[in-house]
Structure formats: C-alpha cells, structure tokens
Amino acid sequence: MAKVGNRNLITLVCTECNEENYRVSKNKKNDPERLEINKYCSRCQKHTTHKEKK
C-alpha cells in the first residue's frame, strides 16, 4: 500500500458560479500556494477557472 504522507484532499470551486465541482489530492509540502486549474463546470456548461477552496 502506498504511503499517504503530505497529500491532502482539496475541493475546487468554480470562480463564476461558486459550485464545488471537483475533489483532488495535492502535496502541500511541494505546492504551498493555492491551486488554480481550468476545468469544465457542469453548471456553467463551459470551461472555467477553478480555485482551491479555503
């Protein structure tokens, strides 16, 4: 079984409609800043920027 270590689950929120669409894992030791990814939002029905929830 793999070692969990510094990886934590984070929630990504759409910047346009504020819906929580995705849950991804992130290594907080290697990437301390907030994550920003362009993903598809099913509510907006287009690709938007998704940011890490506080």
Side-chain angles (χ1 to χ4, degrees):
M1 190 167 173
K3 190 189 283 187
V4 176
N6 294 322
R7 297 195 76 78
N8 295 330
L9 281 177
I10 59 166
T11 304
L12 296 178
V13 179
C14 178
T15 55
E16 293 189 20
C17 66
N18 293 325
E19 184 170 334
E20 299 175 3
N21 293 324
Y22 295 96
R23 302 240 326 143
V24 295
S25 65
K26 171 181 131 172
N27 189 331
K28 291 201 175 192
K29 185 176 180 183
N30 293 340
D31 299 315
E33 64 277 349
R34 294 209 179 188
L35 193 60
E36 271 190 36
I37 302 176
N38 281 329
K39 291 265 196 192
Y40 182 77
C41 179
S42 58
R43 188 172 180 188
C44 299
Q45 296 185 349
K46 60 182 176 179
H47 284 81
T48 60
T49 304
H50 284 69
K51 290 186 179 181
E52 181 178 338
K53 183 179 175 184
K54 291 184 181 181

